[in-house]
Amino acid sequence: MGTHYHRILQIFPKGYSLAFAYGSGVFKQIGHKSVRDNMMDFILAVKDPQEWHKANMVLNPKHYSALRYGGHHFVANVQENWGAKVYFNTLVPTHEGMIKYGVISQKSLVTDLLDWDTMYIAGRLHKPVLMLHLERKVSSEDEELRNALKINLYAALHTALLMLPDSFSEEQLYLILAGLSYSGDFRMQVGEDQNKVRNIVRAQTQEFRTLYTPILNDLSEYALVDRFKGMGEQDTSPPARLHHLSMLPKKLQLFLIKEWNKDGRSRDMEDVLRAAAHDPDVGDVIVKGIQDIVKTSSITQSVKGILTAGGIKSIRYSWAKIKKMWKSLRR
């Protein structure tokens, strides 16, 4: 399976430190007959966006919309300063099929993984992906990226446990983990398969187990999941909640501070997290915070996508999404 996707990577210039494939063109989903019927999605993290786009425009000029006439500096600036700091080229024909690929700087990716600044790529990595390349050089930058990837998964699990009751099913856990990045995403109302999250989880249960079992083992003091029974249980006491809250990404913690200080007081982080740990409904506030992050990034990135794809491709891409949504509503 990996060889097929590695061949696609060969069309791109080097200079990426991470590359992965994801979505219904890579992993089987309920409701899709074959992954080969779907467009394949890729993300590339590059160390120098300007230099990478310069090289890619020489190799693959037709991948870009009219924005390429602004030059590689302009394209890199659009990537770095608009939306979720990702630049997508979509509906790109290759010898292996139709692809869409997004480019993000390694620096912006690390920030998103650690802080959930936009959750745009961090959220995709809460679900199984096909990792095609991860730089293994002994450098502080690459070590930081590998650590950030791990921390992002731990943060997702801490978040999910705050949203779950003391007893829950294994499927409930994976539904929440898979659904974090879709919370607040306006596209789930206007252009996505309405059963998307459930379809992902039910077709990829084993992949979710592989991804999260090591982390659950590390957090066995707080939660246990019996995959043979398909059930889990966790400690929901204030000390346990406080531990999870203290491990949340910065953007989510800042949202909690804002919410707890709506009464005009000025509680600091420590006071807010302690108070939140004693609130049995803190999960609802967490959901609201995630929706706040995702809503903003999904709207701004979608507007940016119209520019980076160009008018005709945007219409084709949007129409395909709408047809998929109608199909799911009729099932």
Side-chain angles (χ1 to χ4, degrees):
M1 178 168 148
T3 304
H4 168 66
Y5 300 102
H6 278 100
R7 284 198 294 268
I8 294 174
L9 280 188
Q10 292 173 8
I11 71 175
F12 301 120
K14 300 302 180 184
Y16 51 84
S17 51
L18 174 145
F20 65 85
Y22 66 97
S24 59
V26 180
F27 291 100
K28 183 171 175 54
Q29 293 182 17
I30 303 297
H32 295 273
K33 292 181 181 177
S34 168
V35 295
R36 296 302 293 271
D37 294 336
N38 299 307
M39 184 163 62
M40 294 168 279
D41 296 290
F42 295 82
I43 293 292
L44 307 174
V46 302
K47 292 189 175 179
D48 187 333
Q50 289 195 11
E51 286 302 311
W52 194 88
H53 283 295
K54 181 180 179 181
N56 197 41
M57 284 177 173
V58 172
L59 287 175
N60 304 301
K62 291 183 179 179
H63 291 189
Y64 292 83
S65 69
L67 292 186
R68 71 180 183 276
Y69 295 117
H72 63 278
H73 291 286
F74 178 67
V75 166
N77 283 333
V78 170
Q79 175 188 313
E80 290 284 83
N81 298 313
W82 292 12
K85 301 184 179 181
V86 191
Y87 191 101
F88 278 101
N89 284 324
T90 190
L91 293 173
V92 174
T94 74
H95 51 290
E96 300 290 347
M98 197 72 75
I99 71 167
K100 177 181 77 175
Y101 65 95
V103 184
I104 185 170
S105 73
Q106 181 170 325
K107 182 180 177 182
S108 295
L109 174 58
V110 168
T111 298
D112 196 33
L113 292 169
L114 295 178
D115 299 340
W116 288 7
D117 197 35
T118 67
M119 276 186 73
Y120 205 83
I121 304 300
R124 280 171 169 75
L125 286 161
H126 294 158
K127 297 174 280 293
V129 302
L130 179 61
M131 194 62 69
L132 299 171
H133 177 80
L134 179 58
E135 199 69 69
R136 292 294 178 185
K137 292 178 182 176
V138 183
S139 74
S140 58
E141 274 189 338
D142 296 324
E143 184 66 28
E144 183 183 36
L145 175 57
R146 288 193 292 273
N147 287 336
L149 288 165
K150 185 186 294 185
I151 289 168
N152 179 50
L153 289 175
Y154 274 82
L157 191 54
H158 286 297
T159 303
L161 290 172
L162 284 166
M163 295 163 61
L164 284 164
D166 52 4
S167 295
F168 53 89
S169 71
E170 184 184 20
E171 184 177 71
Q172 272 182 295
L173 172 63
Y174 298 151
L175 285 171
I176 287 180
L177 289 164
L180 290 175
S181 63
Y182 297 119
S183 299
D185 190 336
F186 80 99
R187 293 170 299 178
M188 293 303 288
Q189 277 72 52
V190 299
E192 285 288 1
D193 184 337
Q194 298 301 290
N195 303 305
K196 184 167 188 171
V197 175
R198 186 187 65 198
N199 293 344
I200 289 171
V201 170
R202 291 190 174 174
Q204 299 170 41
T205 299
Q206 189 54 53
E207 286 82 0
F208 274 93
R209 282 176 179 156
T210 301
L211 194 59
Y212 285 102
T213 294
I215 304 170
L216 282 163
N217 290 340
D218 272 358
L219 297 181
S220 59
E221 180 183 347
Y222 300 97
L224 293 170
V225 175
D226 186 333
R227 65 187 181 89
F228 297 106
K229 294 180 180 178
M231 292 300 296
E233 57 183 16
Q234 66 163 323
D235 179 0
T236 55
S237 67
R241 279 203 207 103
L242 182 58
H243 175 71
H244 297 315
L245 289 163
S246 67
M247 302 302 288
L248 294 180
K250 184 174 76 173
K251 188 99 177 245
L252 212 44
Q253 289 182 336
L254 291 175
F255 182 85
L256 284 171
I257 292 174
K258 186 177 75 172
E259 286 294 299
W260 250 264
N261 287 329
K262 276 186 173 180
D263 58 5
R265 295 174 65 181
S266 298
R267 303 174 184 87
D268 61 16
M269 177 78 76
E270 187 179 348
D271 288 340
V272 167
L273 295 187
R274 194 181 299 113
H278 284 84
D279 184 352
D281 296 322
V282 67
D284 295 336
V285 185
I286 298 294
V287 171
K288 189 177 176 184
I290 292 170
Q291 290 174 339
D292 189 66
I293 296 169
V294 173
K295 181 180 179 181
T296 301
S297 63
S298 68
I299 291 173
T300 56
Q301 185 65 36
S302 292
V303 172
K304 176 179 171 179
I306 295 171
L307 297 174
T308 60
I312 294 173
K313 281 188 177 181
S314 292
I315 292 169
R316 286 174 59 197
Y317 183 72
S318 299
W319 178 240
K321 288 283 188 181
I322 289 168
K323 284 198 296 183
K324 195 181 290 188
M325 180 188 72
W326 279 111
K327 186 179 177 182
S328 73
L329 289 172
R330 292 168 62 186
R331 280 203 291 268

